[in-house]
């Protein structure tokens, strides 16, 4: 028996299209949005940044107002890890932004208000984004731009029905303890439909996930926080994680040591500062660089900003298996330099194959090669999607869901454990348990193991 | 229907005594433990500390090994709060220690292995302590003392049945982001009973809670993490917190701003450094001071150490009410300088009345006076207990549970909310949701609303 909310989410997940939102209409609308997009991004030298500069004392890359974010240094120690210490540039953005999706029933089916939005780092025009995607500097209008549409629904959420509201981390390799508030707010009142926005049922969003670079990262992380009733879940969308699972996480957070200290960017070693990039001596990992962006329909029309440009396409993959009472994923304990609390649960394997040439052999995720070599019939999901285009330039990850073989896959280890999807869904209701790549995969899992499909 | 584990906890909670552990025997044993205790604490000037000194560069009070803990400075900004900025000494102890209670069935009833332990800060001899209470420096034997008894049960917990395992915070006004691992581990094998240890059923522990300064803080915080089936709870011990409750916490953690920065102790302003104490100019709050301790049956027999000595007895109180489906407490959002994540849920009112003379009127918890003035028939629990005697000298708190009046008590506000006990129990399975005073009160609530009592 599903709870009433879980049943409504299930109904929306079953709807690839509705009378209000035919699939063909979406594709037509999307074609128009792409055609209307005249935005342009251009890589520039740091010297051409406007309102951004390197501070003479620290070398940090900062905005003149002190707001938005800064690029600083991070000195990291991980005793016992193949690379026991290093330093690196990192984005520090202490403000908690809002990633919000508005929900509303049309003809009895929940639809979600999505936006066609082009970000400076996007690889090919607009991506399908949440209703609101705003830093506190944005929505309090530090940059004197236009007001952020729909943001008041989220700032005054208690007046409506809150379906999800949790601060979640983002990429811990590039962000220092970044967290955004992930919200889904359901309204019953009429909502004005602005240009560039569209109501989409969940099943249609799931269908669109299979297209490369279409559903943006912020949409994915918010949708992962929905109370989603996976196939085979008996009690609804989530059930409290088993004490053994919580104890496993506690043990791992005690065993792994992460000592990360913010330092001036000029104290980072092993990185070269060039006119148009800060780059690792090995050529691996990522660059800090700068972009000039000319957008349409944004709060302000044009700006320049620093960004992080990763080298190579990432891979994030969950190994999954079906059991008598539902689906399990093999979660890993994932320590990242910018983690708020040592580690979060991550995909079975997560990494950028190109980087491992610059790292010791034992830094390679143990199951990465086995997953990449799985036979096609066990690959349930395989799409390349983009990471957040507001901070990352052409950052793409190949998301894979791969079914374990008939032997049920590997055994649990100290850093890998099979976890039922309903428990992972409950953990994602709390901060800092499920990392951003695993949250993207949770939405992919929704599209594979939706409630309308038989296990 | 209780789950099997919840039913076993309920059975133990119903047992004020068992054949294995008669109540009269406990009192006799306790009298002997007190009589045998020849430990002594003596307040000393800082100059008499051995292996501890003020670092010349920072003024921090540190151990020669760099381990255990340090007394440093903290500079705090809380925009919008009646005291918007201050600085203070704070204890920094980054190591995660173990607070562990061993559990075992005797004649079908769970008993818990408790220890009579005297700490340097205890006000009157031994208190009833967990099986293990050890910093990492302790159990890895930095001080070359005797091994910590029973600690291997917790370091290799996965070999046994783990009933609770969660890192929890401690006093955020005196500790910077302190966390200890709170564990309950059940064993089936024979366990050697060492001198000073005793098996006690949960109902007997609840009975002992009503005696001043008997059950120590570490025992209370660990027992609060048990899956306890409160009266009126239908599904067992815990159920996932409502999305509205989680959203309320998320909103509060976004609205309240806490900027706490570790600084050298010598940069703290408003505090006087005297030969035997560091004290606030107002005479309020707390002192940093030093103690020489001579104990018995400890890992090492005698040592000196710095401690925090609060002024005045604290008050921590939950307002409670009964509803159709269980008991609710009025929880507050409690921001403390050393909080790991802005705030945790605290008692309805928490504070030290003496301190409010030194603070603006609007810093006083809004319901403190109403609770202290409640008629006797609404006071369900009222005992003065000690805070952790390893770091705090003669620190005592009056713990109160007060029933709301026939009007059902105050309405929810932005910073106070009625929460069902089963949901609070689920939150306490995760780190940094329920603060240490509220956890003590949860154990007091176990003694008031145990599963054997009618609601």
């Amino acid at each position: 028996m599903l709870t009433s909310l879980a049943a409504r989410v299930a109904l929306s997940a079953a709807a690839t299209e509705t009378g209000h939102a035919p699939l063909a209409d979406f594709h037509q609308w999307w074609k128009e949005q792409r055609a209307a997009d005249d935005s342009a991004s251009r890589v520039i030298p740091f010297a051409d940044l406007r309102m951004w500069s390197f501070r003479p004392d620290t070398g940090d890359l900062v905005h003149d107002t002190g707001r938005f974010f800064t690029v600083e240094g991070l000195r990291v120690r991980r005793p016992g890890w193949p690379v026991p210490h290093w330093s690196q540039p990192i984005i520090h953005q202490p403000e908690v932004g809002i990633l919000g999706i508005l929900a509303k029933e049309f003809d009895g089916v929940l639809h979600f208000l999505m936006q066609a939005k082009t970000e400076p780092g996007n690889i090919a025009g607009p991506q399908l984004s949440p209703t609101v995607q705003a830093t506190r500097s944005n929505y309090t209008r530090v940059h004197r731009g236009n007001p952020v549409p729909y943001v008041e629904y989220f700032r005054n959420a208690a007046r409506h029905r809150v379906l999800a509201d949790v601060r979640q981390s983002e990429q811990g390799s590039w962000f220092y303890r970044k967290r955004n508030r992930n919200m889904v707010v359901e309204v019953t009142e009429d909502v004005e439909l602005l240009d560039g926005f569209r109501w989409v049922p969940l099943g249609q969003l799931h269908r669109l996930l299979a297209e490369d670079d279409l559903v943006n990262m912020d949409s994915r992380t918010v949708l992962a926080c929905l109370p989603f009733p996976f196939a085979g879940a008996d009690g609804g969308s989530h059930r409290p994680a088993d004490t053994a699972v919580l104890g496993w996480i506690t043990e791992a957070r005690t065993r792994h040591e992460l000592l990360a200290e913010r330092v001036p960017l000029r104290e980072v070693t092993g990185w070269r500062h060039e006119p148009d990039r800060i780059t690792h001596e090995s050529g691996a990992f990522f660059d800090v660089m700068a972009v000039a962006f000319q957008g349409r329909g944004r709060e302000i029309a044009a700006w320049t900003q620093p960004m992080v440009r990763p080298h190579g396409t990432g891979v994030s993959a969950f190994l999954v298996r079906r059991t008598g009472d539902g689906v399990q994923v093999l979660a890993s304990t994932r320590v990242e330099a910018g983690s708020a609390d040592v580690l979060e649960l991550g995909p079975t394997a997560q990494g950028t194959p190109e980087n491992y040439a610059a790292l010791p052999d034992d830094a390679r995720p143990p199951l990465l090669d086995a997953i990449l070599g799985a036979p096609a019939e066990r690959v349930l999901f395989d799409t390349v999607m983009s990471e957040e285009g507001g901070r990352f330039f052409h950052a793409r990850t190949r998301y894979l869901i791969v079914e374990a073989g008939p032997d049920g896959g590997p055994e649990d280890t100290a850093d890998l454990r099979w976890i039922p999807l309903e428990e992972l869904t409950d953990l994602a209701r709390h901060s800092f348990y499920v990392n951003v790549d695993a949250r993207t995969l949770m939405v992919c899992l929704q599209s594979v193991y939706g409630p309308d499909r038989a296990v």
Side-chain angles (χ1 to χ4, degrees), chain A residues 248-317:
Chain A
W248 170 68
I249 297 170
T250 299
E251 192 278 331
R253 280 179 163 159
T254 309
R255 174 169 39 89
H256 288 284
E257 283 188 84
L258 173 69
L259 299 136
E261 186 189 4
R262 287 165 55 211
V263 296
L265 184 55
R266 69 163 74 258
E267 290 184 14
V268 161
T269 55
W271 294 75
R272 274 200 313 271
H273 192 136
E274 302 180 353
D276 63 349
R277 75 191 68 184
I278 299 169
T279 192
H280 192 258
E281 286 170 351
S282 69
F285 311 120
F286 63 87
D287 296 340
V288 178
M289 38 76 81
V291 162
F293 181 66
Q294 174 105 32
R296 59 140 202 169
R298 293 290 301 236
E299 297 86 29
I300 54 171
W303 69 85
T304 64
Q305 67 167 84
M307 304 199 82
V308 160
R309 175 178 52 201
H311 295 186
T313 298
V315 174
S316 279

Side-chain angles (χ1 to χ4, degrees), chain A residues 16-66:
Chain A
T16 309
E17 54 187 338
T18 65
H20 193 80
L23 188 56
D25 285 15
F26 177 88
H27 286 298
Q28 178 59 31
W29 174 78
W30 192 247
K31 194 188 288 182
E32 290 161 14
Q33 295 297 317
R34 291 180 59 106
D37 178 53
D38 57 358
S39 68
S41 258
R42 190 163 47 85
V43 176
I44 57 173
F46 292 124
D48 289 355
L49 282 170
R50 291 185 304 275
M51 307 222 20
W52 289 88
S53 59
F54 292 99
R55 272 182 58 157
D57 51 348
T58 58
D60 293 345
L61 187 47
V62 298
H63 193 256
D64 290 354
T65 60

Side-chain angles (χ1 to χ4, degrees), chain A residues 52-284:
Chain A
W52 289 88
S53 59
F54 292 99
R55 272 182 58 157
D57 51 348
T58 58
D60 293 345
L61 187 47
V62 298
H63 193 256
D64 290 354
T65 60
R67 304 289 292 272
F68 299 106
F69 63 92
T70 58
V71 182
E72 308 180 351
L74 197 71
R75 190 183 292 142
V76 187
R77 285 203 299 125
R78 286 193 59 187
W81 180 246
V83 185
H85 53 85
W86 71 90
S87 62
Q88 64 165 86
I90 198 130
I91 302 175
H92 185 220
Q93 182 170 345
E95 295 180 355
V96 180
I98 293 175
L99 308 179
I101 298 183
L102 211 55
K104 184 172 154 64
E105 276 194 358
F106 295 94
D107 304 327
V109 178
L110 276 174
H111 288 61
F112 299 89
L113 187 58
M114 308 303 290
Q115 178 185 184
K117 184 166 181 169
T118 306
E119 297 273 10
N122 284 12
I123 199 156
Q127 296 189 11
L128 200 60
S129 306
T131 318
V132 166
Q133 175 177 317
T135 63
R136 187 186 280 247
S137 294
N138 277 146
Y139 65 71
T140 56
R141 297 168 70 186
V142 169
H143 55 17
R144 301 164 190 279
N146 299 320
V148 177
Y150 304 111
V151 75
E152 294 308 320
Y153 288 107
F154 301 94
R155 295 186 74 179
N156 301 299
R159 292 175 45 226
H160 311 286
R161 176 159 189 196
V162 177
L163 309 189
D165 185 1
V166 53
R167 293 162 316 138
Q168 296 282 14
S169 70
E170 296 180 7
Q171 283 79 358
S173 300
W174 303 329
F175 277 122
Y176 180 74
R177 299 191 177 180
K178 167 80 176 288
R179 58 244 191 280
N180 269 325
R181 196 168 164 189
N182 286 236
M183 306 179 75
V184 182
V185 172
E186 182 183 358
V187 295
T188 52
E189 66 201 50
D190 285 343
V191 174
E192 186 190 6
L193 189 65
L194 298 173
D195 184 41
F197 289 82
R198 187 176 178 83
W199 292 102
V200 184
L202 189 54
Q204 195 168 105
L205 285 167
H206 289 160
R207 174 72 69 95
L208 299 169
L209 270 181
E211 301 195 18
D212 284 1
D213 302 307
L214 198 157
V215 179
N216 90 342
M217 182 192 97
D218 294 344
S219 299
R220 294 171 341 236
T221 171
V222 174
L223 293 172
C225 300
L226 270 181
F228 189 84
F230 283 98
D234 54 356
S237 54
H238 52 95
R239 72 163 183 253
D242 195 79
T243 298
V245 170
L246 297 180
W248 170 68
I249 297 170
T250 299
E251 192 278 331
R253 280 179 163 159
T254 309
R255 174 169 39 89
H256 288 284
E257 283 188 84
L258 173 69
L259 299 136
E261 186 189 4
R262 287 165 55 211
V263 296
L265 184 55
R266 69 163 74 258
E267 290 184 14
V268 161
T269 55
W271 294 75
R272 274 200 313 271
H273 192 136
E274 302 180 353
D276 63 349
R277 75 191 68 184
I278 299 169
T279 192
H280 192 258
E281 286 170 351
S282 69

Side-chain angles (χ1 to χ4, degrees), chain A residues 312-390:
Chain A
T313 298
V315 174
S316 279
F318 260 140
L319 211 52
V320 301
R321 68 182 184 193
R322 304 161 187 216
T323 70
D325 60 350
V327 177
Q328 296 181 334
V329 296
L330 187 61
S332 68
T333 60
R334 173 97 184 160
V335 181
E336 293 183 337
S339 295
D341 195 11
V342 188
L343 60 83
E344 301 187 9
L345 301 187
T348 314
Q350 172 181 344
T352 302
E354 283 88 336
N355 286 339
Y356 295 111
L359 289 169
D361 285 349
D362 48 354
R364 195 174 175 88
L367 295 170
L368 184 59
D369 295 322
I371 287 171
L372 291 176
E377 67 273 18
R378 294 210 273 113
V379 178
L380 307 181
F381 188 95
D382 185 357
T383 304
V384 176
M385 290 188 269
S386 291
E387 305 311 319
E388 219 268 296

